[in-house]
Amino acid sequence: MNRMTSPCIGICVMDEHSGYCLGCARTLGEIAEWSMANPSRRQQIISTLPSRRRSMAGRFQGRAED
């Protein structure tokens, strides 16, 4: 099977608001299924990450000043 590299970057902290990992932007379910997922499913997960990261970045902008 063609192994796609995991998007994990070693910052494994779940955002309570979104349910996404602050490091890779996956859900707990997606993280758990990754090792058994077929290439099509992995690509499906990967394709959702850019928009999740953008939405997370927008939510956290300006919070350092709070």
Side-chain angles (χ1 to χ4, degrees), residues 4 9 11 18 20 26-27 29 34 36-37 45 47 50 57 62 64 66:
M4 185 180 297
I9 61 169
I11 301 172
S18 68
Y20 302 141
R26 293 180 293 171
T27 65
W34 185 264
M36 300 302 291
I45 293 169
S47 70
D66 291 347

Side-chain angles (χ1 to χ4, degrees), residues 7-9 11 13-14 18-28 30-31 45 48-54 56:
C8 179
I9 61 169
I11 301 172
V13 178
M14 300 308 290
S18 68
Y20 302 141
C21 174
L22 296 178
C24 68
R26 293 180 293 171
T27 65
L28 281 175
E30 291 165 344
I31 292 167
I45 293 169
T48 67
L49 302 182
S51 65
R52 289 180 185 176
R53 288 187 184 111
R54 283 190 300 275
M56 290 168 59

